[in-house]
């Protein structure tokens, strides 16, 4: 990652430079789009969502919670790193669709920011990813 950049690390950054960079666990899929269910279909052991878009801003009736359910129903470990003020669904909203929180299979990490997590939260995102990766054994 270029330390001079003003934008947040790209979605794929954690898979190439974070705790999973040298992981023997495969397949490791990286996606820029919010298609966590597709990742589960590929046979990934776990899914990490950075800023999951639960619904369009101001339109909570247009839920995408079924995508989270596809991951958990496929017995995949799921982690969501969500900005504390995400207009696409705040952490409290996301938590309501993660019934297994705290049971080892589902994790929610809250970081400062909105849907676009700021560079200033990068260290907290890295801590969340590291904590999640440590649960995968």
């Amino acid at each position: 990652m270029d330390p001079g950049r003003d934008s947040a690390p790209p979605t794929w950054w954690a898979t190439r430079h974070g705790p999973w960079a040298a992981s023997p666990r495969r397949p490791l899929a990286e996606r820029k789009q919010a298609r966590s269910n597709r990742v589960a279909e590929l046979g990934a052991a776990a899914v990490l969502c950075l800023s999951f878009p639960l619904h369009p801003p101001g339109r909570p009736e247009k839920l995408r919670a079924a995508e989270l359910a596809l991951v958990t129903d496929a017995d995949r470990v799921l982690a969501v790193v969500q900005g504390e003020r995400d207009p696409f669904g705040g952490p409290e909203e996301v938590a309501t669709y993660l019934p297994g929180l705290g049971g080892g299979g589902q994790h929610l990490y809250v970081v400062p920011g909105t849907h676009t997590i700021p560079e200033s939260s990068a260290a907290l995102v890295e801590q969340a990813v590291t904590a999640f990766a440590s649960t995968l054994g």
Side-chain angles (χ1 to χ4, degrees), residues 43-101:
V47 174
L48 171 66
C49 299
L50 300 176
S51 297
F52 183 78
L54 185 62
H55 57 72
R59 303 201 50 204
E61 72 280 3
K62 299 281 187 183
L63 279 178
R64 295 179 64 187
E67 289 185 28
L68 295 175
L70 285 171
V71 175
T72 57
D73 290 350
D75 293 323
R76 301 300 191 265
V77 180
L78 171 65
V80 178
V81 178
Q82 200 78 358
E84 64 188 355
R85 298 178 320 279
D86 192 329
F88 288 83
E92 299 81 19
E93 290 177 273
V94 172
T96 63
Y97 297 98
L98 299 175
L101 271 177

Side-chain angles (χ1 to χ4, degrees), residues 3 6 9 29 37 42 65 72 83 86 94 119 129 134 137:
D6 291 329
N37 58 322
L42 292 173
T72 57
D86 192 329
V94 172
E119 179 80 25
V129 171
S134 71

